[in-house]
Amino acid sequence: EMSEEERAFQERIDRGDKIEPNDWMPDGYRKTLIRQIGQHAHSEIVGQLPEGNWITRAPTLERKAILLAKVQDEAGHGLYLYCAAETLGVSRDELIELLHAGKMKYSSIFNYPTLNWADIGAIGWLVDGAAIMNQVPLQRTSFGPYARAMVRICKEESFHQRQGFDIMMKMARGTQDLRRMAQDALDRYWYPSLMMFGPSDKESVHSAQSMAWKIKINTNDELRQKFVDQTAPQADYLGLKIPDEKLRWNEEKGGYDFSEPDWNEFFEVLKGNGPCNRERLGARIRAWDDGAWVREGLMAHAEKQAIRPAA
Ligand code: 3HC
């Protein structure tokens, strides 16, 4: 049974109001946003690790500069999102502590290794492609700071996807070896990219409530379908084959039929048993500990500044 306040709040959501940090909101709405925005921010920061590994190994200076710019953008996306989460009364330190304690998640996709340069192309094309599919609708989410962060992030994501697709084009049109590398990267990144949209709708625990609050605008399966419909023709254009024998256009559905990812693998990765979970969390914890002296120095400096008598 809804309280008077909850009913008034739902009416605001239903008429498309933007909810701002100082507005009244149900505890569950605040909690869901802290969970989703916090994990979204963690994904951006952890997502720098797989690509960062290839900045020093990029094949040309131009590719190095492009990848550097993309990884730097991801850091910025993480900061916008941590700021959006802070407006809900949680500190960045708390969110990072929960991540390091394994109590908050980041996107499963970043628990897969980047074995060679073609993976950087596949990540830009598929992972950033999937992220765009998921983030564009979030520009219309009901919480103001999150929606506004998404507008800014989506502008930069299209460059991320474009540069990845460009790498795949170059390799798919290259020598036999390059084409084989591009196909191998597609084989390894296809299903993990489908997992980025979350479990199937019937398995999704949060979707119903998140959609009622317009925190989630489309269901997981809807966005996954849109991603396949957009990406399948791109693979054809590249002359690469999506590793799914079931994939075929279904006229009356107006979309592709395709095989779902291995959900056991998905839930194993979420439990921490993916190929790189320990390595990724270890790298984040090490970076946090190694950076403590910088944070402490800055805080000490700020305190001194604060008590210095005005000149
Ligand atoms: N990886 C890790 N956890 C996942 C996941 C994934 N791919 N998909 C779902 N989950 C988790 C959910 O977080 C939830 O666990 P929790 O209760 O501990 O948070 C559980 O699985 C059940 O899933 P639900 O579908 O019920 O959960 P949601 O309603 O939260 O939907 C979501 C999942 C679609 C990922 C949604 O949270 C969302 O849209 N988040 C914002 C977008 C986001 O985080 N994108 C990350 C992509 S990577 C990125 O942005 C970087 C880019 O620049 C490359």
Side-chain angles (χ1 to χ4, degrees), residues 55-68:
I55 289 175
T56 55
R57 301 180 169 88
T60 67
L61 181 61
E62 185 204 17
R63 289 294 182 192
K64 183 194 192 93
I66 292 172
L67 185 56
L68 203 49

Side-chain angles (χ1 to χ4, degrees), residues 58-216:
T60 67
L61 181 61
E62 185 204 17
R63 289 294 182 192
K64 183 194 192 93
I66 292 172
L67 185 56
L68 203 49
K70 176 179 191 298
V71 173
Q72 207 171 325
D73 283 350
E74 309 294 10
H77 295 176
L79 297 187
Y80 306 154
L81 288 163
Y82 282 129
C83 288
E86 284 171 335
T87 67
L88 291 157
V90 66
S91 78
R92 192 176 311 179
D93 286 8
E94 282 169 283
L95 292 172
I96 288 173
E97 213 172 299
L98 288 166
L99 171 71
H100 293 174
K103 296 201 176 79
M104 279 187 89
K105 297 179 164 73
Y106 55 89
S107 190
S108 51
I109 187 72
F110 299 124
N111 290 307
Y112 290 84
T114 45
L115 304 179
N116 58 56
W117 182 252
D119 290 19
I120 299 303
I123 284 178
W125 173 36
L126 299 173
V127 174
D128 287 85
I132 291 173
M133 204 56 82
N134 164 283
Q135 289 169 155
V136 163
L138 285 173
Q139 295 174 113
R140 298 193 313 280
T141 188
S142 57
F143 186 57
Y146 195 24
R148 292 189 290 271
M150 279 300 107
V151 171
R152 177 108 185 247
I153 287 173
C154 287
K155 285 195 173 62
E156 293 172 339
E157 288 287 12
S158 39
F159 144 65
H160 297 174
Q161 184 191 26
R162 187 83 225 128
Q163 62 83 38
F165 190 73
D166 190 46
I167 291 173
M168 295 306 271
M169 257 196 315
K170 195 155 230 103
M171 296 186 80
R173 292 175 178 167
T175 64
Q176 183 68 13
D177 281 349
L178 289 178
R179 217 181 357 267
R180 244 202 306 275
M181 282 172 74
Q183 181 60 58
D184 170 57
L186 171 55
D187 290 347
R188 284 183 288 105
Y189 270 86
W190 175 253
Y191 287 107
S193 299
L194 296 188
M195 294 176 194
M196 287 173 68
F197 294 97
S200 63
D201 291 349
K202 53 188 185 311
E203 301 275 307
S204 169
V205 293
H206 300 301
S207 282
Q209 183 58 69
S210 287
M211 294 207 43
W213 279 332
K214 291 188 187 163
I215 290 174
K216 185 178 272 192

Side-chain angles (χ1 to χ4, degrees), residues 285-299:
I285 292 170
R286 207 167 28 260
W288 180 257
D289 293 345
D290 292 354
W293 66 275
V294 176
R295 293 193 299 276
E296 283 150 24
L298 288 172
M299 295 305 281

